[in-house]
Amino acid sequence: MLGINLFKKKEQKDPRVRRVQYESLTSEEKRVEDELRRGITTLKDFLAPAEVNITSHFIQIEDKFAATMFILAYPRYLNSGWLAPLINYNKEFNLSLFIYPMDSAAVLKNLTKQTARIEAQITELEEKGYVRDPQLEIALRDIEILRDRLQEGTEKIFQFGCYITIFGDTEAKLEEAFEELKNTLASYLIYAKPTLFLQEQGFNTTLPLCGDALLLTTTMNTSPLSTSFPFISSDLVQDRGVLYGINSHNMSLVIFDRFSMENANMVVFGKSGGGKSYFVKLDILRAMMLDTEVIVIDPENEYEHLAQTIDGQMVRISLASPFHINPFDIPPQIKGEDYKAVFQSHMVELLSFFKLILGGMSPEEESIIDRALRETYQVKGFNIDSPDEVKNLIPPKLEDFYEILSGIKGSESLVLKLEKFAKGIYSSFLNNYTNVELNKRFVVFNIRDLEEELKPIAMYLVLNFIWRKVRSNIRKRLLVVDEAWILMKTDDGASFLYSVAKRARKYYLGLTTITQDVEDFLTSRFGKAIVTNSSIQFLLKQSPAEIDLVKEVFKLTEEEKFFLLETGVGEGLFIAGLKHIALRVLASYSEDQMITTDPRQLIEIEKAKEEMADENNIT
């Protein structure tokens, strides 16, 4: 048994110390020799902490605090796996279960005595004319049932001890964690008590030494005892939803409807090559079978093959593209909305848009931009107080705004920055009327061919355009933002993506955010807020440099941390609410051919298409 004596230093000489001249030893050997001479001579001494403090309520081992509790009382009925929530508890603790079988003959003899005593009490109450006692009758019935089952051999009796030692970095944190765990158990009508003045024995009992130094047990028969098995893997199987893959814990199917959660948002994190896009494309393909529209913002041309295969719509945004989106388009007025509020909100969005383009602005420059925006719309005939009069008006373009801005005093630096977008090399990108129509169930906005400095602007512009469509026509949709770290590089872009994540539920929209740059995403205040507003998280293989941050943000255990470091391609941790599942993504052969991102496989597919086309031409 491990007791306090383990931590005491013993003065004894190790006979295995090599007898060599001290001067001929290496520096490391000299360090060991010095420690040996000071009396640290056994393995026990090397392992022992420098300080142990035992009080009535806790035990302190160096800078770590620990306190032990035992289960005092249980409800009349225990649900299966009642200990399972403790296994996923996000605090550090040790749990020990001790089961002692009892002699059935002795138990039967004791139960017979209890039966006679309870029957006598019931008879006495009847003779005195008192109202019957339901508790006595229930107890008698339970004992009779137990006696029958013991006699049949279908049940046995055990003494059951359940002890939990919880840890904290400070005494205050230990007390907080102790009370939280105690209240969690109380919610199941399971009552725990601290092992007062027995903290040393409690700490030793919960170590993996198979020794019960407390012997604070409760009598249980086989049925309730069997519910105490804590290692029950989580499962996610619903009557309706998307098949995401296989639960690696128990090989069950993971079928889940993300729209059944409080929101349908999902974040997908993983290093490059971990299978992020493969998983999301499989999710898209299967969601579309459930009558879901899907819109994708694709910075790396990952979704072109899928769009071609399922007759989707490709919208390429580039300097030479025929597709254009005008940032000055007035959002459509939704029934019940005040047009003035819609217009003012649009002006705020434009202000953020110009911050993104111009690289931030001073308060004075913001005022100049605001004035120029109002004057631009006024010149085009837009009256904020007369919504009916503006329905058929043509919205301004960037060059119209540029001309107004040029005439305002103090705007010289802003005009210089804006010139390349309004009249220079980037004018074909932003200075055009909108000609994009979303007319397919699967739409991909491809921004791969844009210059790197324009990609955050394009993602903001496209996301804003999509958001207007979503609000004006509510139906079941998924919006996928791939490589979201591009948009998260600026506060205005990150803020807008967060606002979409926060409001998506109201418009029957599920936002899927994908990124491989986990650190930049999670260190942003908006990035953490997006994670908080996403009911589902899928974590694929992580890099060692980022795993500690991922562990902290997602409250992972040490086992889950190492799982994410060692997992293979297409495997990861699927988190839905409080359930954590090791998920292996599984696609059929036909699905794999449509969603693969492997360049070699894509080349083979294109070659097979060419050969098939040649054969058709010959015939």
Side-chain angles (χ1 to χ4, degrees), residues 391-615:
K391 289 182 179 179
N392 299 320
L393 293 178
I394 299 174
K397 293 195 300 183
L398 186 61
E399 64 180 346
D400 300 319
F401 173 76
Y402 175 80
E403 295 297 334
I404 296 294
L405 184 65
S406 302
I408 298 178
K409 184 179 179 181
S411 65
E412 291 78 10
S413 62
L414 295 173
V415 170
L416 285 174
K417 291 179 183 179
L418 195 61
E419 184 174 2
K420 61 181 178 181
F421 295 100
K423 294 183 175 295
I425 56 175
Y426 296 154
S427 59
S428 61
F429 169 46
L430 293 176
N431 189 35
N432 283 285
Y433 292 115
T434 300
N435 62 355
V436 176
E437 291 292 336
L438 306 186
N439 50 26
K440 295 288 183 72
R441 289 182 58 222
F442 181 57
V443 182
V444 177
F445 286 87
N446 188 312
I447 62 173
R448 180 192 63 177
D449 299 330
L450 273 175
E451 285 67 19
E452 288 301 318
E453 67 174 294
L454 296 180
K455 283 186 177 180
I457 300 172
M459 291 185 76
Y460 184 98
L461 188 65
V462 170
L463 188 60
N464 196 15
F465 174 77
I466 295 170
W467 181 242
R468 293 177 183 177
K469 296 294 183 182
V470 167
R471 292 178 68 250
S472 61
N473 181 20
I474 298 176
R475 60 165 301 159
K476 190 177 181 182
R477 288 188 180 94
L478 291 182
L479 171 59
V480 178
V481 182
D482 206 345
E483 301 298 346
W485 61 270
I486 296 175
L487 192 59
M488 299 294 291
K489 288 192 294 186
T490 64
D491 280 348
D492 292 294
S495 174
F496 187 67
L497 185 61
Y498 165 62
S499 70
V500 172
K502 187 171 63 173
R503 299 158 61 191
R505 180 186 62 84
K506 298 178 182 178
Y507 301 99
Y508 209 7
L509 176 71
L511 174 67
T512 299
T513 309
I514 313 168
T515 187
Q516 65 181 14
D517 201 337
V518 178
E519 184 173 1
D520 284 351
F521 192 94
L522 293 181
T523 51
S524 164
R525 61 191 177 97
F526 292 111
K528 287 186 177 180
I530 291 172
V531 171
T532 303
N533 281 273
S534 299
S535 297
I536 305 170
Q537 299 99 33
F538 187 43
L539 309 177
L540 291 103
K541 189 168 186 176
Q542 304 292 319
S543 68
E546 297 172 335
I547 189 62
D548 288 330
L549 177 62
V550 172
K551 179 191 175 190
E552 178 186 352
V553 172
F554 293 96
K555 308 299 181 185
L556 304 181
T557 64
E558 284 293 323
E559 291 75 14
E560 290 171 336
K561 167 185 170 181
F562 289 114
F563 170 74
L564 292 178
L565 288 173
E566 300 168 0
T567 189
V569 177
E571 296 181 350
L573 191 65
F574 189 84
I575 305 172
L578 297 177
K579 292 190 175 183
H580 292 209
I581 291 174
L583 177 68
R584 177 161 55 89
V585 179
L586 192 63
S588 68
Y589 175 78
S590 299
E591 289 173 326
D592 180 73
Q593 296 296 297
M594 288 188 279
I595 65 178
T596 181
T597 54
D598 186 347
R600 292 174 299 177
Q601 200 170 348
L602 290 174
I603 292 172
E604 291 175 1
I605 292 171
E606 290 300 323
K607 186 177 179 181
K609 287 181 179 179
E610 291 174 2
E611 291 175 354
M612 188 178 297
D614 293 339
E615 290 177 2

Side-chain angles (χ1 to χ4, degrees), residues 8 20 22 52 67 79 84 118 166 169 172 174 188 221 229 234 245 283 375 416 513 569-570 604 618:
K8 293 181 179 178
V20 295
Y22 183 81
V52 175
N79 295 321
I118 293 174
I166 194 159
D169 294 328
L174 173 66
Y188 293 93
N221 55 304
F229 187 75
S234 297
D283 182 29
E375 291 184 6
L416 285 174
T513 309
V569 177
E604 291 175 1
I618 293 173

Side-chain angles (χ1 to χ4, degrees), residues 117-239:
R117 185 171 63 251
I118 293 174
E119 287 179 339
Q121 289 178 326
I122 293 174
T123 302
E124 183 179 357
L125 289 175
E126 290 177 349
E127 290 176 350
K128 292 182 178 181
Y130 292 154
V131 177
R132 66 184 185 87
D133 188 344
Q135 289 186 344
L136 289 176
E137 294 178 0
I138 292 172
L140 180 61
R141 185 166 61 250
D142 289 345
I143 291 174
E144 290 291 356
I145 292 172
L146 184 57
R147 285 178 63 196
D148 291 342
R149 291 179 178 176
L150 286 173
Q151 197 69 47
E152 295 168 357
T154 57
E155 294 272 352
K156 291 188 177 181
I157 295 293
F158 302 87
Q159 288 292 325
F160 176 57
C162 180
Y163 312 107
I164 305 167
T165 296
I166 194 159
F167 297 88
D169 294 328
T170 64
E171 187 176 347
K173 288 184 178 180
L174 173 66
E175 184 178 353
E176 179 184 350
F178 192 93
E179 289 301 318
E180 184 179 343
L181 181 57
K182 184 179 174 183
N183 293 335
T184 300
L185 290 170
S187 66
Y188 293 93
L189 300 180
I190 297 167
Y191 300 102
K193 290 288 184 181
T195 55
L196 296 178
F197 298 99
L198 294 172
Q199 288 299 325
E200 178 188 349
Q201 291 85 342
F203 178 79
N204 292 336
T205 298
T206 56
L207 290 174
L209 301 174
C210 297
D212 185 355
L214 292 172
L215 296 175
L216 299 171
T217 59
T218 302
T219 302
M220 276 194 186
N221 55 304
T222 307
S223 296
L225 185 60
S226 64
T227 66
S228 304
F229 187 75
F231 306 106
I232 298 175
S233 59
S234 297
D235 58 6
L236 275 177
V237 182
Q238 295 182 345
D239 296 333

